[in-house]
Amino acid sequence: MKRRVGFTKKLATPPFILVAGILLIIGIGTVLLMLPVSNQNGHPLRFMDALFTATSAACVTGLIVVDVETTFTLFGETVIMILMQLGGLGFMTIATLIALLFGRKLSLKDRLILKEAINSDTMEGVVRIIRKVLIFSFTIEGVAAIIFTARWSVDMPFFKALYYGIFHSVSLFNNGGFDLFGNSFQDYMGDWLFNVIASILVISGGLGFVVLNDLFEFPKKRRLSLHSKMVLSVSGVLIALGAIVLFVFEFTNTKTLGSLDLSHKLYASFFQSVSTRSSGTSTIDIPELRSATQFFFILLMFIGASPGSTGGGIKTTTFLIMIGALFAMVRGQKDIVFFRHRVPQGLLMRAMTIIIITLGIFMVINMLLLTTEDAPFLTVMFETASAVGTVGLSVGLTPELTEWGKLIITVTMFIGRIGPLTIAYAIRPKQTKNLYRHPEGRIIIG
């Protein structure tokens, strides 16, 4: 009986519930996409293709093995859009919305799960933050949908433009990576209005809801938390660096930026830098990028978006803490300091754990795909980084994957969205506290 109770308690932990929740969403999405009504030819979609697409949508990745526009009906596309919304906001956020609408009070356990879901360091005000998350999300998506509708109604019938506006607003804000144009947004490379609105959507979704809440309250409080300062700083640097690298490396490549005028080069460089770390949409032909640029994109995808956001990767703050540790070591300092605040040793250990686990997963997936797929090493590495970081950019390998390759990438997208550390917490054995410490030893390194 004790063992059974212990097992039940393990299942009730916040990390396990989050993992189970996303699996449930993927399962329902797979079944819906397999229905004949979801497929334009009226036949059920193959199980592996449905599972892959549902996982890609729920894990807000955007990698596809079938063309969305020519494969799915309006019903199927709507299922994908809902999966992206659920995957981006998180099923616990949506569950909280339903509970609040019905006037149900949240228990301590509910608040613990919400704290885990939005990567907050405290339960204080977590429900208030969730309310704002929902308001931010639906307001930003709604305004963007209206602007997109007005823009695309020039190119297509109004109701089609309205549908496209809603779908792509959801996709871009949730960093979903799906599109209905067939070539991502390459037709709008030089459209300043699209580039501005799409970039705002991707950046807003990738900053994280805690940062959005801080920015919303900044006019009243006149200050930002250390977390928000770090996220905004590193995000700005990475966006600028990505745009500069793409602009310089592809300036003379006639297959990407080389044949464009200066303004179009700048638009494409900025948007692609914004999109590469989380969104997975593009305005240039990704397979035609030079190898050096593709490799740099792999690094950006590995870093990913920020904690508590709709994006994946090791997260910007994890990357920044490790850079801080590097500089502290080189300068002979014991503490990692950002904005006159010292980083706790526990956070450094957590950052190292995330990077090592993610890098381990990245290497294992690369080796597996190099075994199952007949493709160049850089191509395999690019698709793996895209799946691990839940980005969705592709150099063309994903549609050609074998059945084993599809399964491997499906599992990788799931791990990337949940986060390797969350999965580790969900399945780890019960913690035991040591009553003693071993003596310190000396080891030579370097």
Side-chain angles (χ1 to χ4, degrees):
M1 180 63 70
K2 287 183 178 179
R3 184 181 297 176
R4 191 170 184 180
V5 172
F7 181 71
T8 304
K9 285 184 178 180
K10 183 179 178 180
L11 293 182
T13 60
F16 193 95
I17 292 175
L18 291 175
V19 172
I22 194 70
L23 284 173
L24 178 63
I25 293 173
I26 291 172
I28 295 174
T30 301
V31 172
L32 292 176
L33 291 179
M34 287 182 65
L35 296 176
V37 69
S38 295
N39 202 326
Q40 288 190 17
N41 62 20
H43 298 294
L45 191 66
R46 295 175 64 251
F47 170 74
M48 183 52 68
D49 292 343
L51 175 63
F52 189 101
T53 305
T55 304
S56 183
C59 296
V60 286
T61 304
L63 290 173
I64 56 173
V65 289
V66 293
D67 184 68
V68 176
E69 184 186 18
T70 58
T71 301
F72 297 105
T73 61
L74 179 62
F75 177 83
E77 292 171 357
T78 303
V79 169
I80 291 174
M81 180 173 63
I82 293 173
L83 288 174
M84 287 190 293
Q85 187 75 81
L86 291 174
L89 294 182
F91 85 102
M92 274 306 300
T93 304
I94 301 300
T96 302
L97 171 63
I98 296 172
L100 293 174
L101 289 175
F102 283 93
R104 188 176 77 83
K105 291 185 178 181
L106 299 180
S107 65
L108 177 61
K109 178 180 169 183
D110 294 332
R111 294 171 188 269
L112 282 170
I113 299 172
L114 286 173
K115 170 181 170 293
E116 190 81 21
I118 64 173
N119 278 36
S120 177
D121 58 355
T122 176
M123 284 194 299
E124 183 181 356
V126 67
V127 177
R128 176 173 53 84
I129 293 177
I130 290 296
R131 285 197 186 100
K132 289 183 179 179
V133 165
L134 295 167
I135 293 172
F136 293 155
S137 301
F138 295 136
T139 300
I140 293 172
E141 289 176 357
V143 172
I146 293 172
I147 297 174
F148 280 154
T149 300
R151 168 62 187 87
W152 287 329
S153 60
V154 177
D155 303 328
M156 60 187 73
F158 174 77
F159 286 106
K160 183 178 180 180
L162 175 63
Y163 171 62
Y164 270 45
I166 295 172
F167 184 96
H168 292 102
S169 295
V170 171
S171 178
L172 287 165
F173 178 76
N174 291 287
N175 288 222
F178 283 82
D179 72 275
L180 301 176
F181 291 102
N183 62 348
S184 198
F185 301 110
Q186 293 181 32
D187 295 337
Y188 298 93
M189 178 193 296
D191 190 317
W192 71 268
L193 180 61
F194 168 80
N195 278 273
V196 169
I197 301 303
S199 296
I200 291 174
L201 284 169
V202 174
I203 292 172
S204 299
L207 286 177
F209 298 121
V210 173
V211 178
L212 290 180
N213 182 61
D214 263 10
L215 291 174
F216 180 78
E217 295 184 346
F218 180 76
K220 180 173 64 176
K221 293 185 175 181
R222 306 303 300 175
R223 64 182 177 84
L224 294 173
S225 66
L226 174 62
H227 171 77
S228 295
K229 290 178 182 178
M230 291 178 66
V231 166
L232 292 172
S233 299
V234 70
S235 296
V237 170
L238 288 174
I239 289 173
L241 181 62
I244 292 171
V245 169
L246 177 61
F247 184 83
V248 173
F249 282 22
E250 299 296 319
F251 192 87
T252 57
N253 185 355
T254 56
K255 296 179 180 179
T256 54
L257 301 184
S259 60
L260 306 176
D261 59 36
L262 182 60
S263 63
H264 287 193
K265 282 185 171 72
L266 293 173
Y267 287 150
S269 298
F270 179 78
F271 178 77
Q272 204 56 61
S273 177
V274 168
S275 174
T276 297
R277 286 187 301 107
S278 55
S279 172
T281 49
S282 62
T283 55
I284 57 178
D285 196 0
I286 300 299
E288 299 298 339
L289 292 170
R290 286 173 172 153
S291 297
T293 310
Q294 290 182 5
F295 182 76
F296 184 75
F297 276 16
I298 289 172
L299 301 179
L300 291 180
M301 290 190 291
F302 189 81
I303 295 171
S306 300
S309 71
T310 58
I314 62 170
K315 302 296 189 293
T316 52
T317 47
T318 304
F319 171 71
L320 188 56
I321 287 174
M322 295 309 299
I323 295 296
L326 173 64
F327 277 94
M329 179 64 68
V330 170
R331 293 173 179 174
Q333 299 171 343
K334 290 185 177 181
D335 295 331
I336 305 169
V337 179
F338 292 108
F339 299 100
R340 299 181 180 179
H341 286 77
R342 175 171 51 86
V343 175
Q345 191 70 18
L347 279 183
L348 175 60
M349 295 295 292
R350 184 183 176 96
M352 290 176 60
T353 302
I354 290 173
I355 291 177
I356 292 172
I357 292 177
T358 307
L359 190 60
I361 293 170
F362 179 73
M363 292 188 295
V364 169
I365 298 303
N366 263 304
M367 289 188 291
L368 290 175
L369 288 178
L370 286 169
T371 303
T372 63
E373 313 303 314
D374 183 17
F377 177 70
L378 184 62
T379 298
V380 171
M381 186 187 294
F382 193 97
E383 305 291 301
T384 303
S386 185
V388 169
T390 66
V391 177
L393 291 178
S394 174
V395 288
L397 175 62
T398 300
E400 307 297 328
L401 287 172
T402 62
E403 293 299 296
W404 280 109
K406 291 177 183 178
L407 180 60
I408 292 168
I409 291 293
T410 298
V411 174
T412 306
M413 291 188 293
F414 173 74
I415 294 174
R417 180 62 183 124
I418 293 296
L421 205 57
T422 300
I423 295 178
Y425 285 163
I427 63 177
R428 70 180 176 182
K430 184 179 179 180
Q431 282 184 297
T432 57
K433 188 175 181 180
N434 291 329
L435 301 178
Y436 59 89
R437 295 182 70 186
H438 293 283
E440 188 178 86
R442 295 188 176 275
I443 305 171
I444 299 174
I445 62 173

